[in-house]
Amino acid sequence: MSVVSDVRSRVVDGPHVWGRYAVRPVDRTMWSTRTLVVYPPGTTRGERAVLRAWSAWPALGALVAIGVMAALAPHAALGTGAAVGLYAAGFLVLGRAARRLRPGVRTLTVTTFHGNGRPEVHGDVRLLGASLDALTVPERALRQGAIRPVDFEAIWADVWNDLPRDRRARFSRPTPPAAGRRGPLGR
């Protein structure tokens, strides 16, 4: 692969094929956040691009809207209208494109409050850490050719199945898995 195709692949696919891991360090509100987002196993490159565009649009769209407003500065009303229209159109187009993909995405968030002398953790830290390890170590092995893509996807599916299903459950402990089923997290 050339350097250009490596960079393009990294921008379109992101650092991980299975989803993303985001860390927001402690800010002035004394909270830090770690979020693991796992796409459904078998998500194609195009689907990953749509999901990444959907999650990036609020910030990217705002920058594009500001650029449109700046370009049309002599005509303030036209610039504002074009910027708002473009920003809304981005949400409509990406929302429609990602509509069937978004429900399958699993998210786990752990927040920590650092303000009372000792950290107060909210969320399943153990599940987050085990899931992240269970995804990143085999992904590295896949990139080195040590495991087959089908083996990696089976691990990815186990992790995805272990994460809470709906967004309301992302701050609570997941329900125990069905009897007899054991995933990579040893549960």
Side-chain angles (χ1 to χ4, degrees), residues 112-130:
T112 306
F113 179 66
H114 300 273
N116 292 335
R118 67 173 204 263
E120 293 176 26
V121 178
H122 303 272
D124 195 340
V125 176
R126 184 194 59 73
L127 179 61
L128 180 89

Side-chain angles (χ1 to χ4, degrees), residues 18 36 38 130-139 152 155-156 159:
W18 46 262
L36 178 68
V38 181
S131 298
L132 189 59
D133 287 344
L135 289 167
T136 55
V137 172
E139 183 181 36
F152 173 72
I155 295 167
W156 178 3
V159 171

Side-chain angles (χ1 to χ4, degrees), residues 81-148:
V84 169
L86 180 67
Y87 193 62
F91 276 112
L92 291 173
V93 169
L94 289 171
R96 181 142 176 101
R99 182 181 61 210
R100 70 172 185 78
L101 303 172
R102 287 191 327 252
V105 175
R106 305 269 173 98
T107 303
L108 180 66
T109 299
V110 173
T111 57
T112 306
F113 179 66
H114 300 273
N116 292 335
R118 67 173 204 263
E120 293 176 26
V121 178
H122 303 272
D124 195 340
V125 176
R126 184 194 59 73
L127 179 61
L128 180 89
S131 298
L132 189 59
D133 287 344
L135 289 167
T136 55
V137 172
E139 183 181 36
R140 206 171 312 133
L142 175 68
R143 289 183 181 173
Q144 294 170 349
I147 64 172
R148 299 175 306 162

Side-chain angles (χ1 to χ4, degrees), residues 14-31:
H16 307 289
V17 296
W18 46 262
R20 69 181 183 277
Y21 177 63
V23 177
R24 277 191 18 222
V26 178
D27 59 10
R28 62 188 173 96
T29 63
M30 305 296 288
W31 287 91

